[in-house]
């Protein structure tokens, strides 16, 4: 027997395989992704079916267990660095488990490369790649996020010992939100104000050890914890840290763009664009585009498949005794809601492919100190991030409603809103029919008697008239009667009221 | 010292107290709500601060503990039935904990009143009011929700024993979604097809015992459980039940509108409108309006208070060295997002007050068998439920973004979308300035050279032209240049680019 889904699929003349190659950049790339995915599918650790049943602390542990296994598998199979990173992406896509370790691989290591000197990298990169250092990126504070200039954490040079003292001087200066800070990271790249002999030199980055490398206990002076439950993103330990005069060696300042010497003198380094300070954030945003498209694609696929299988209600054109139910996907209201989302998922993903290619080019230029494309990159990263996440966020909410999931419960409970809107139209046409037939109608609907009257336009002129509620009631009544007239006309041509509403909604 | 919030409040000439009386229907009603709230505030059981830190099963227990205490307090203080119900509403509003017991008080008991005969009510109502029966309302099935006609559960008359046999004949007939079914209820009013001597008489309601009254174990033939984690609504045990030929006495059919006699003959009862079958659902929807307004009011209040306290960024009109930060509420983009939501919260809540008065009138008429207002009530309940929950749902998402909470994480992470949209404009103006100054611009932005050219309108005529990507690229470029020109003009009048974007966004 052909399944309902197979029947739907058979109607398409497009080759799903060919589309896969386009969506995933090329045939060879798509096949590589499949080979990597097969490594994960074969391992029972990546069975994530029950993860939503676990309390948050257990969800975190499961996500860490899975992301740890990704590292083991990459080594066991001798993957190249590029394929290793791809395996991490495939893992996230397959399980939907955002793991805190991506803050290490995508933010911490990237910043280590960009912000620190070759000597500094030689010291820390082997430890970071070997997971002996597990890092986070601590920029956001309780009081400041987007406004980097307002950050308050201080890094004060201590000439006596050749150290910096990292300190949170106020409540609002506490580092707040950084992912992986609460439990995972033992090091953080901390954004702080550089203070030299009492003078503020603006914000710079500092490598700060947060936890003991043996016991994983917070180091003295680091008061750390979890910022608490969120609506989503449960696997990630977004955390806080209050620094109480924590000392680090002077050599722990990120010295690629600017440096401080033994006597506490500040200098900017020629040939290194200061834009590298925010380049990691920019890269992260650029990477959002493609993943946003794929996220919307998942939601749209689930909602469309469900709609092709789920039956509900009858075709009113078949008359009142019909017993063959329609697939939900047969309703044009459902198509109207879902098909544009599928189109958007394609558009965003393919745009993301282009953005990824651009990012590679931009990174290579930046490594050479060439910033010519940076402003365009900034515009692209901001503009496309806003556009695509807004489309996808609203689209996923639509998918959720189509699946009747519970979030804002009253939107879908006691009658889904799209269905109820049609019920409203039906009840109003019933009142109109009662009026036309000369039957009594309730007082609150008496103005329906004006349905065929010429429109008596409301023309408020004086301030008093503008403030008069009756003005607005009259305007709304006219608008309502206008729409009801149009609906009555449209529905009149159909087999029945129900069929008319179905055909015209 | 005057707090920031007090300073904001002092600017308003309105009396908050007077507005409270309007929002909560009258001074005496508002004061009654405050007296009831004081009962809960005084009891540490209602401290719900940590509830979001608990796993789902514990959240359910805490919500049950609280809703149980509401019943104890109502008895201890000898509240009237009306005040008792109000106390339940105040509890939900104060804690935000949707408790499964509301399915008993708002759905089960209401349906008992509407659907069952006086004799049936005499038998069960005392048990229900005494919480010996705890009920749920089992309409929705895995395969059917909105389409009641399609429900598949059967209630087959067994003449030999004068019983009905309740049965789930298919996978899709399993009762699925009813709140309180998974753990809480020991009885359910079950919607099922009435089968008499092989003939299908459509869907009717049946009182079915689901669990043992001593052990609370499921009765033989009732395979029950929880439908699993949801995105929200964690406290409520939405459940499933598969019936395997469960016998109930014939007298357990809801016999107010229609009845079956000892010989299995069906009759409809005169004077009882069959619309009572869905009247509880209609009442529940009508009640959503006011609670939706109050829900949005909570979100808007939190977001506006936060915005009045949170400082971020500088007034660009003060020049680049300004160090006095703006309150987020000082930005017109923030006002543009939040103030309409506050207005909507007032509008929806006050509409809800009117709807509540209408519901009281409608219920009294329905009890007398008078259905004249029912169609209008149906239109109101559907139309306002759709309109208000759509406004509130989108509005609460805006509040969440303003507070930077994590839901669809990429919308707020790595730069909130409203802020980034302004960054995009800024970067694009920078490219334009480079072009005007004769500096080189990247290839991808070369078309900016057409900024002052007369618009060369794209005029696709042939099918080939419509399918040509260049047509669309050209149209988008023209639209973009048009907007960029307007922005450049507007910003030119301001002190700086940043100030211009701030003033014109």
């Amino acid at each position: 027997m052909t399944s309902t889904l197979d029947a739907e699929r058979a109607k398409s003349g497009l080759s799903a395989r060919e589309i896969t190659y386009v969506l995933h950049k090329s045939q060879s790339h798509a096949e590589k992704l499949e080979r990597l995915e097969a490594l994960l599918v074969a391992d029972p650790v990546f069975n994530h079916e029950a993860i939503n049943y676990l309390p948050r602390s257990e969800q975190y542990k499961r996500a860490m267990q899975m992301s740890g296994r990704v590292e083991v598998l990459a080594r066991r199979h001798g993957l190249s660095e590029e394929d290793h990173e791809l395996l991490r992406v495939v893992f996230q896509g397959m399980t939907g488990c955002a793991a805190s370790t991506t803050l290490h691989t995508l933010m911490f290591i990237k910043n280590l490369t960009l912000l620190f000197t070759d000597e500094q990298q030689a010291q820390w990169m082997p430890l970071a790649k070997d997971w002996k250092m597990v890092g986070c990126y601590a920029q956001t504070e309780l009081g400041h996020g987007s406004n980097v200039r307002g950050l308050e954490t201080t890094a004060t040079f201590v000439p006596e010992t050749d150290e910096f003292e990292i300190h949170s001087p106020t409540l609002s200066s506490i580092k707040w939100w950084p992912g992986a800070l609460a439990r995972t990271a033992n090091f953080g790249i901390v954004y702080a104000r550089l203070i030299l002999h009492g003078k503020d030199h603006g914000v710079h980055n500092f490598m700060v050890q947060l936890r003991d490398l043996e016991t994983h206990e917070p180091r003295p002076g680091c008061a750390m914890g979890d910022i608490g439950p969120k609506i989503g993103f449960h696997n990630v330990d977004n955390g806080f840290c209050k620094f109480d005069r924590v000392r680090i060696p002077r050599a722990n300042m990120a010295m690629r763009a600017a440096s401080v010497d033994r006597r506490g003198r500040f200098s900017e380094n020629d040939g290194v664009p200061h834009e590298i300070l925010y380049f990691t954030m920019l890269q992260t945003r650029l990477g959002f585009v493609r993943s946003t498209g794929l996220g919307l694609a998942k939601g749209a696929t689930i909602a469309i498949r469900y709609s092709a299988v789920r039956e509900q209600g009858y075709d009113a054109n078949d008359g009142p005794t019909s017993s063959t139910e329609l697939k939900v996907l047969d309703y044009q209201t459902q198509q109207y809601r879902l098909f544009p989302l599928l189109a958007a998922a394609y558009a965003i993903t393919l745009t993301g492919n282009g953005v990824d290619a651009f990012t590679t080019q931009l990174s290579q230029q930046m490594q050479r100190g060439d910033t010519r494309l940076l402003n365009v990159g900034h515009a692209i990263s901001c503009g496309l991030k806003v556009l695509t996440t807004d489309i996808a966020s609203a689209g996923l909410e639509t998918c959720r409603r189509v699946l009747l999931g519970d979030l804002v419960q009253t939107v879908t409970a006691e009658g889904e809103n799209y269905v109820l809107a049609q019920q409203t139209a039906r009840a109003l046409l019933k009142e109109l029919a009662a009026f036309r037939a000369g039957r009594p109608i309730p007082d609150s609907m008496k103005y329906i008697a004006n349905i065929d009257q010429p429109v008596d336009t409301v023309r408020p002129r004086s301030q008093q008239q503008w403030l008069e509620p009756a003005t607005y009631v009259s305007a709304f009544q006219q608008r309502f009667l206008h729409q009801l007239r149009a609906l009555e006309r449209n529905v009149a041509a159909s087999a029945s009221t129900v069929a008319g509403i179905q055909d015209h909604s």
Side-chain angles (χ1 to χ4, degrees), chain A:
Chain A
M1 200 186 92
T2 315
S3 80
T4 314
L5 276 181
D6 286 340
E8 290 284 345
R9 285 174 180 139
K11 291 181 199 163
S12 171
L14 284 171
S15 155
R17 198 70 200 155
E18 293 294 328
I19 297 179
T20 301
Y21 299 155
V22 174
L23 272 179
H24 294 291
K25 302 185 178 177
S26 71
Q27 176 169 355
S28 63
H29 193 70
E31 287 171 353
K32 179 192 280 185
L33 291 173
E34 287 171 336
R35 281 196 304 275
L36 293 172
E37 191 181 53
L39 296 181
L40 306 181
V41 171
D43 191 326
V45 164
F46 296 98
N47 181 338
H48 56 288
E49 281 176 14
I51 200 162
N52 287 320
Y53 288 77
L54 300 174
R56 205 183 137 225
S57 56
E58 295 298 317
Q59 289 188 17
Y60 169 80
K61 284 185 198 162
R62 282 285 290 123
M64 290 300 282
Q65 184 190 20
M66 288 192 274
S67 64
R69 185 68 67 107
V70 167
E71 301 306 309
V72 171
L73 287 177
R75 266 145 225 248
R76 188 177 296 165
H77 293 274
L79 298 188
S80 69
E81 197 150 330
E82 186 199 333
D83 288 5
H84 188 159
E85 184 50 41
L86 268 180
L87 186 67
R88 294 185 186 122
V89 174
V90 170
F91 153 60
Q92 301 253 335
M94 185 180 112
T95 63
C97 288
S100 296
T101 47
T102 53
L103 278 309
H104 175 75
T105 51
L106 292 182
M107 297 287 272
F108 184 80
I109 288 188
K110 277 218 178 93
N111 271 325
L112 193 52
T113 313
L114 277 168
L115 307 175
F116 290 79
T117 64
D118 292 348
E119 300 75 46
Q120 291 178 311
Q121 290 184 43
Q123 180 187 354
W124 289 314
M125 194 60 90
L127 296 168
K129 296 227 160 158
D130 222 24
W131 294 93
K132 293 197 170 107
M133 285 173 89
V134 182
C136 67
Y137 183 60
Q139 171 177 322
T140 305
E141 297 174 358
L142 192 52
H144 292 89
S146 301
N147 179 22
V148 171
R149 223 174 93 197
L151 292 176
E152 296 175 84
T153 303
T154 52
T156 308
F157 181 56
V158 184
E160 296 74 14
T161 57
D162 197 22
E163 291 176 310
F164 287 112
E165 186 179 271
I166 307 293
H167 188 58
S168 310
T170 61
L171 178 68
S172 54
S173 72
I174 295 174
K175 291 293 175 188
W176 191 273
W177 269 114
L181 177 57
R183 297 213 218 176
T184 313
N186 53 20
F187 273 83
I189 295 178
V190 174
Y191 228 168
R193 314 199 73 81
L194 173 64
I195 311 291
L196 299 173
H197 308 301
K199 182 163 184 290
D200 183 334
H201 289 265
V203 285
H204 293 265
N205 287 282
F206 300 85
M207 179 68 74
V208 181
Q209 185 175 342
L210 302 168
R211 287 188 167 86
D212 187 279
L213 297 190
E214 292 300 321
T215 66
H216 205 63
E217 287 297 315
R219 282 188 64 210
C222 297
M224 299 162 73
D226 194 293
I227 63 167
K230 295 151 288 187
I231 303 181
F233 223 49
H234 300 304
N235 305 320
V236 174
D237 55 322
N238 295 90
F240 66 84
C241 182
K242 184 175 193 309
F243 295 105
D244 183 16
R245 305 187 186 285
V246 172
R247 294 288 181 93
I248 58 169
R250 176 174 56 87
N252 280 24
M253 174 175 160
M255 299 247 193
R256 182 142 174 259
S259 48
V260 170
D261 69 13
R262 179 62 189 91
R263 294 170 58 189
R265 284 174 307 196
F266 178 78
S267 59
E268 296 206 324
N269 302 342
D270 292 341
V272 180
H274 71 101
E275 289 90 346
I276 59 167
L277 286 178
Y278 66 84
F279 187 63
T280 298
M281 187 71 86
L282 192 154
Q283 271 186 302
T284 304
R285 274 203 295 264
L286 287 169
F288 279 173
V289 178
R290 185 162 199 276
S291 64
T292 297
L294 293 174
L296 179 58
K298 270 193 205 176
T301 302
I302 293 168
I304 290 171
R305 284 185 186 166
Y306 173 81
S307 301
V309 171
R310 172 77 167 180
E311 296 177 344
Q312 191 80 277
Y314 312 97
D315 188 337
N317 294 298
D318 293 345
T321 57
S322 166
S323 64
T324 309
E325 287 197 281
L326 289 171
K327 291 176 199 162
V328 177
L329 195 57
D330 293 334
Y331 290 93
Q332 59 195 357
T333 50
Q334 195 83 348
Q335 297 169 10
Y336 172 79
R337 289 206 276 180
L338 288 176
F339 292 170
L341 300 181
L342 185 65
Y346 275 103
I348 296 172
T349 305
L350 295 175
T351 302
N353 290 351
V355 169
D356 284 359
F358 171 81
T359 306
T360 305
Q361 183 192 0
L362 182 61
S363 305
Q364 288 163 353
Q365 290 193 0
M366 286 294 288
Q367 286 290 342
R368 295 196 303 268
D370 174 355
T371 62
R372 280 175 302 164
L373 275 178
L374 191 65
N375 184 55
V376 172
H378 185 55
I380 291 176
S381 87
C382 293
L384 284 180
K385 190 267 197 182
V386 172
L387 180 68
T388 59
T389 62
D390 272 354
I391 292 172
S393 160
L396 288 169
E397 168 65 10
T398 298
C399 293
R400 185 198 68 76
R401 292 192 193 182
V402 164
L403 299 168
L404 304 181
D406 258 301
L407 179 59
V408 180
Q409 197 257 348
T410 49
V411 174
T412 36
E414 314 308 354
E416 199 275 335
N417 279 1
Y418 250 68
V419 172
L420 288 187
Q422 297 181 22
Q423 290 276 321
T424 311
R426 192 172 163 181
L428 292 169
L429 285 172
K430 206 165 148 187
E431 287 302 320
L432 180 56
F435 164 73
R436 297 251 186 248
R439 290 197 298 274
I441 50 175
D443 285 348
S444 60
M445 296 294 292
K446 281 275 194 288
Y447 67 94
I448 215 170
N450 297 320
I451 184 89
D452 298 319
Q453 305 296 316
V455 173
D456 176 24
T457 309
V458 193
R459 287 196 189 78
R461 285 288 172 270
S462 66
Q463 186 186 358
Q464 182 54 41
Q465 284 167 329
W466 276 107
L467 291 172
E468 190 55 61
T471 302
Y472 298 92
V473 172
S474 169
F476 275 117
Q477 284 183 352
Q478 287 182 25
R479 175 167 165 276
F480 167 73
L481 290 175
H482 173 77
Q483 292 179 320
L484 190 60
R485 251 193 320 272
L487 182 62
E488 185 189 32
R489 235 183 357 253
N490 286 332
V491 164
S494 301
S496 68
T497 302
V498 187
I501 291 173
Q502 180 190 310
D503 296 344
H504 291 94
S505 56

